[in-house]
């Protein structure tokens, strides 16, 4: 996944979850934050961030905040990136070698899951979760309570019980992650739902990414600790 024009900046503040103030060589810019999560451990005053030029010339904010340098580790925090990365990777045979069709935003039960992969063996449902929370080289999810995430996990579990294949796929948006684990301190119910789904047959896997200011790409498999 490649961004267009990229400039560096220094994070100043986040007036609300959609907007950040960033100092650049052109002055202080009001920019769009492409992640509505808390990201408190990432967006700290003085942090080096990278801005991508927005594609809509009529938009009020000309730049998107997409990447942050956390202690020398580049973390992509673009919430739209994980699904785009997974689609690109799955289309190249990354998850399954015999995918004949990829259907995004697939309606199943009471949920709209991220993907349905069609194969000669049948349907394989996938829910993608982007991970930006890094602690000592390990990745944890979520960084804030997510009832929607629990609902999707339970939907995957019901799909498996109905005879379909299903995967919860973590895209770790930084390189060289040691492992991925549910963040039980922040949302214990998410971890409980994930463990229950895994015991019922939902596949849980994670891959980290190579990240540069202008590019992010799925790189390697990372152990999931449940």
């Amino acid at each position: 996944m490649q961004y267009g024009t990229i400039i560096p900046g220094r994070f100043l503040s986040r007036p609300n979850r959609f907007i950040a103030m960033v100092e650049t060589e052109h002055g202080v810019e009001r920019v769009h934050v492409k992640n509505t999560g808390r990201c408190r451990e990432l967006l700290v005053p003085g942090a080096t961030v990278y801005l991508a030029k927005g594609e809509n010339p009529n938009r009020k904010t000309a730049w998107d905040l997409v990447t942050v340098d956390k202690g020398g580790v580049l973390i992509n925090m673009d919430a739209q990136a994980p699904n785009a990365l997974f689609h690109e990777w799955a289309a190249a045979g990354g998850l399954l070698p015999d995918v004949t069709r990829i259907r995004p935003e697939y309606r199943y039960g009471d949920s709209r899951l991220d993907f349905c992969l069609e194969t000669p063996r049948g349907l394989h449902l996938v829910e993608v979760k982007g991970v930006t929370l890094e602690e000592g080289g390990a990745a944890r999810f979520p960084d804030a309570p997510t009832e929607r995430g629990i609902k999707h996990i339970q939907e995957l579990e019901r799909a498996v019980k109905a005879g379909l294949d299903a995967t919860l796929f973590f895209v770790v948006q930084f390189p060289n992650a040691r492992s991925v684990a549910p963040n039980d301190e922040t949302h214990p119910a998410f971890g409980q739902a994930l463990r229950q789904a895994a015991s019922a047959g939902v596949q849980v896997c994670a891959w980290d990414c190579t990240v540069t200011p202008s590019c992010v790409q799925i790189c390697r498999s990372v152990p999931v600790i449940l």
Side-chain angles (χ1 to χ4, degrees):
M1 179 178 171
Q2 188 79 34
Y3 295 102
T5 303
I6 291 283
I7 62 170
R10 185 171 69 90
F11 176 79
L12 300 176
S13 64
R14 189 179 186 181
N16 60 57
R17 62 179 182 158
F18 302 104
I19 296 295
M21 306 305 295
V22 176
E23 183 180 22
T24 73
E25 62 179 7
H26 308 297
V28 175
E29 295 277 354
R30 182 181 175 89
V31 306
H32 173 59
V33 180
K34 295 197 75 175
N35 191 316
T36 58
R38 294 178 180 175
C39 303
R40 291 172 180 168
E41 78 288 351
L42 298 179
L43 297 180
V44 297
T48 297
V49 297
Y50 294 91
L51 311 178
K53 186 72 171 178
E55 296 180 357
N56 182 355
N58 299 318
R59 204 179 68 179
K60 291 181 179 180
T61 51
W63 299 91
D64 294 319
L65 196 164
V66 295
T67 303
V68 60
D69 187 324
K70 183 191 177 192
V73 177
L74 288 183
I75 298 179
N76 178 279
M77 52 176 289
D78 180 351
Q80 297 176 2
N83 279 28
L85 289 167
F86 177 83
H87 193 292
E88 181 182 85
W89 181 76
L95 184 68
L96 302 170
D98 53 353
V99 174
T100 56
R101 183 184 177 191
I102 298 177
R103 299 164 65 180
E105 296 292 318
Y106 185 76
R107 174 68 69 179
Y108 185 83
D110 294 329
S111 298
R112 191 179 294 275
L113 299 173
D114 287 325
F115 295 99
C116 174
L117 277 54
E118 296 184 3
T119 76
R121 298 179 306 281
L123 305 183
H124 191 122
L125 305 184
V126 180
E127 181 66 16
V128 177
K129 300 297 181 188
V131 187
T132 62
L133 180 58
E134 181 269 342
E135 295 181 352
R140 303 183 76 190
F141 184 92
D143 69 348
T146 170
E147 295 301 327
R148 183 171 177 268
I150 291 177
K151 179 183 177 183
H152 288 158
I153 290 173
Q154 292 171 340
E155 208 70 80
L156 294 178
E157 183 177 346
R158 282 190 284 270
V160 166
K161 291 178 179 178
L164 302 179
D165 292 326
T167 295
L168 192 289
F169 192 93
F170 291 111
V171 175
V172 181
Q173 293 170 256
F174 56 87
N176 303 317
R178 292 203 320 266
S179 60
V180 179
N183 190 356
D184 292 313
E185 289 80 5
T186 295
H187 197 186
F190 180 88
Q192 293 167 7
L194 185 61
R195 295 180 186 98
Q196 169 61 35
S199 67
V202 175
Q203 300 175 47
V204 182
C205 57
W207 286 61
D208 68 8
C209 294
T210 56
V211 180
T212 71
S214 61
C215 181
V216 57
Q217 184 176 12
I218 288 179
C219 181
R220 66 183 183 92
S221 178
V222 175
V224 178
I225 300 174
L226 297 178

